[in-house]
Amino acid sequence: MSYWDEPGAAVLVVGSVCVDYYRTANGAVVPCWGGKGANQALAAASCGTRVTMVGCVGDDRTGRLAADRLAAGGVDVSYLHTTDRATTGATLIAVGPRGESTITGYNGANAYCRADMVTRAVGQMPDRCLLLVQQEVGWQAVVAALTGGERRGWPVIIDPAPPRNWPDGYWRTAAAITPNQAEAFKLSGYWVKRAEDAVAAVAAIRARYRFAGDVIITARQHGLFYTDGPGVGHCPASLPADRVVDGTGAGDVCNGVLAAKLVAGCGWRASVEAAARAAELATTGLGAQVAAVYEHCARLAGQGKPAVVNCPAGSDRETGQILTRGKVGQ
């Protein structure tokens, strides 16, 4: 599967929208906007790319504020649906002193993102489109996305998170998959720290899952490894360890920027390098929706000040009143 040599394609993100509650090393709880799909969509849109998101939020104030935030960031939310069967998703994330995290999630409305919602959006997108999908939405929605992307002849990038028992041939038509260290270990049996680990992991993934596309493995302080022709390339980590606050959403930012740069015609290697830098910047604050990421992407796109910045709940009056009081879904 090839990408494009000239700009102009769109990105369709199928994914989740959540509120993330961070419990930091000093015991404080900080609510931030999150969800893998929302993180990816905003990162892609901040690069000046046309981005549409398919997902589902609750019929509540939290969901409406989340949709407003996406729209303010340049994301088309025409296919972001509302359900009265569950409240907007929420996640509790405990962050350690080195940015490591433990995640407990309430999927909420994300589970009600249905196959027909995805199919309708896929049918309305332009011919030149890249599909970015992850697995925090209903399984049938994921399958519909992959089927629809194949039918339209689009490149599909799969973020295999959270991990599931992947059926045989699941990634057969994908252009790329983007596991982190833990996901790559689940897929391949190799914990990636060095280039030789990445080579072995890629070979195992390709053999086990009959996968012929590209692979990116995000490996925290060890950087990012990616397939580069017959070999493996490496983007070393460059941030000092004392600047790392939270690595939870770095992979989401990586995926969003990767998709945006690919549809801009930047080519595989340049797109990966831009994505790796943005992912590092995402570790400098809580969550993936960090101001440094959007400012970096806006500069890359030759734009001015980004439309959205990092938004701990208390920095926005109405959002803060809802989230800091723990009233998600009201």
Side-chain angles (χ1 to χ4, degrees):
M1 178 69 70
S2 61
Y3 304 102
W4 297 277
D5 296 325
E6 59 184 31
V11 173
L12 178 64
V13 178
V14 178
S16 57
V17 179
C18 291
V19 178
D20 294 338
Y21 289 93
Y22 281 86
R23 182 175 293 279
T24 63
N26 63 7
V29 176
V30 181
C32 299
W33 293 115
K36 296 185 72 64
N39 293 342
Q40 293 165 0
L42 281 169
S46 69
C47 295
T49 304
R50 175 185 171 186
V51 180
T52 300
M53 181 168 175
V54 185
C56 198
V57 296
D59 185 14
D60 48 51
R61 292 181 69 196
T62 307
R64 288 187 287 275
L65 286 169
D68 288 346
R69 177 167 170 76
L70 286 163
V75 178
D76 180 354
V77 294
S78 302
Y79 299 98
L80 184 63
H81 298 268
T82 300
T83 180
D84 59 5
R85 300 181 66 183
T87 55
T88 300
T91 305
L92 177 63
I93 303 173
V95 180
R98 293 176 294 181
E100 69 279 12
S101 58
T102 302
I103 303 173
T104 304
Y106 161 66
N107 217 18
N110 295 306
Y112 293 92
C113 180
R114 304 189 311 268
D116 63 294
M117 298 174 180
V118 176
T119 300
R120 190 177 308 116
V122 168
Q124 295 298 314
M125 294 297 290
D127 289 338
R128 297 179 69 235
C129 186
L130 183 148
L131 176 62
L132 181 55
V133 62
Q134 38 74 34
Q135 301 173 158
E136 282 185 341
V137 295
W139 182 246
Q140 294 304 316
V142 175
V143 173
L146 300 181
T147 302
E150 180 180 12
R151 185 177 64 253
R152 294 292 306 267
W154 295 342
V156 179
I157 298 176
I158 301 175
D159 178 358
R164 297 185 177 185
N165 292 320
W166 296 282
D168 187 41
Y170 171 51
W171 299 325
R172 176 176 51 85
T173 61
I177 60 169
T178 60
N180 63 20
Q181 267 181 316
E183 292 149 6
F185 180 76
K186 181 176 177 65
L187 293 170
S188 70
Y190 292 91
W191 189 263
V192 176
K193 294 182 178 180
R194 302 165 298 179
E196 50 264 42
D197 302 330
V199 169
V202 169
I205 289 169
R206 286 181 168 165
R208 184 175 299 177
Y209 295 97
R210 296 185 294 163
F211 178 67
D214 286 308
V215 180
I216 291 177
I217 300 172
T218 52
R220 296 178 65 85
Q221 72 269 30
H222 305 291
L224 179 151
F225 299 90
Y226 63 98
T227 51
D228 187 14
V232 169
H234 182 215
C235 297
S238 60
L239 279 181
D242 60 1
R243 287 196 60 193
V244 176
V245 175
D246 167 40
T248 305
D252 299 339
V253 168
C254 176
N255 283 309
V257 174
L258 174 70
K261 303 308 285 184
L262 286 172
V263 301
C266 295
W268 175 249
R269 186 181 301 173
S271 297
V272 171
E273 290 171 351
R277 174 57 179 161
E280 272 204 300
L281 291 173
T283 68
T284 61
L286 291 178
Q289 297 180 26
V290 176
V293 171
Y294 302 138
E295 291 164 358
H296 170 71
C297 292
R299 285 194 299 271
L300 288 178
Q303 300 173 332
K305 186 177 180 180
V308 293
V309 296
N310 56 315
C311 186
S315 66
D316 177 279
R317 184 173 180 181
E318 184 179 14
T319 308
Q321 288 174 350
I322 294 173
L323 301 185
T324 56
R325 295 175 186 173
K327 297 183 178 180
V328 176
Q330 297 189 18

